[in-house]
Amino acid sequence: MRLGIAHHFGWAVAVTATADHRVADRRRIELVEPGMAAAPIHHDGKHLDDDAAADLVAKVRASAVRAASAELDRLAAELPEPIVSMSLRAWPPDFPADLATQRRVPYEARADSVMYRQVLAELAEARGWAVHLYEAKDVERQSAAILGPRADEVLHAPRAALGPPWTKDHRIALAATVMAG
């Protein structure tokens, strides 16, 4: 099974597909525990000093590890076959790691998102899953090129077969699983 993720602040759409691109599961997963700040750098920590912001980010990151880990364990346990890969939207390889830089423009608007993707990547690697990164703006087009005449059937037919929801996030997550193959 290949898992594709289309994430947001604190939650994500997860689509799991077989090697022949059939959707085995689709669900919303929580990436942070209830009551925790979903955007500790971009919103919640904006007016805190560096030490307080660092404390908030550490708490949210720990919460993200616990919440996402529980969601991934639940998903893996409910699938008929093991997950072999997770696809995530790419982040810049040179994205700064220090909080003081992340709190400045242009990084502050992306730092929380990068944190969630890095947590997911670490959790996938810890489970022995290959991690594939994709560019959201190109992944549907690239997967359609791989799928050829099956592209519409694979990427759009699940809505008719499974019923709503089947949104752009679902298509992107599924397309990412195609790219992982």
Side-chain angles (χ1 to χ4, degrees):
M1 296 285 178
R2 297 177 184 142
L3 174 58
I5 302 286
H7 79 289
H8 296 273
F9 286 125
W11 64 279
V13 167
V15 175
T16 311
T18 63
D20 64 349
H21 317 300
R22 284 181 293 113
V23 174
D25 188 90
R26 47 116 191 231
R27 64 180 70 188
R28 175 186 165 129
I29 61 172
E30 299 301 323
L31 300 179
V32 68
E33 296 164 321
M36 292 300 297
I41 295 173
H42 185 61
H43 290 294
D44 303 280
K46 207 170 219 172
H47 301 293
L48 299 176
D49 65 33
D50 283 347
D51 290 338
D55 185 51
L56 177 61
V57 169
K59 288 177 182 172
V60 171
R61 191 175 206 295
S63 175
V65 168
R66 289 187 301 271
S69 186
E71 294 278 15
L72 294 175
D73 288 346
R74 188 172 16 266
L75 172 63
E78 293 173 5
L79 293 170
E81 297 175 28
I83 296 172
V84 298
S85 69
M86 178 191 287
S87 297
L88 300 163
R89 187 163 54 91
W91 62 89
D94 61 347
F95 197 82
D98 66 289
L99 182 62
T101 303
Q102 288 179 358
R103 294 183 76 187
R104 294 194 306 258
V105 173
Y107 306 110
E108 60 85 24
R110 298 180 296 168
D112 298 313
S113 176
V114 169
M115 175 195 64
Y116 286 116
R117 287 178 273 170
Q118 289 173 338
V119 165
L120 286 165
E122 291 165 10
L123 293 172
E125 289 170 353
R127 287 163 171 74
W129 304 344
V131 175
H132 298 275
L133 303 180
Y134 67 86
E135 296 294 334
K137 64 183 178 192
D138 296 329
V139 72
E140 280 191 79
R141 181 186 53 75
Q142 291 174 341
S143 67
I146 290 169
L147 294 166
R150 291 188 56 216
D152 191 56
E153 169 196 343
V154 170
L155 298 175
H156 296 277
R159 180 178 174 88
L162 303 172
W166 191 258
T167 65
K168 182 178 181 181
D169 283 343
H170 294 89
R171 285 193 319 275
I172 286 173
L174 178 57
T177 69
V178 172
M179 299 301 297

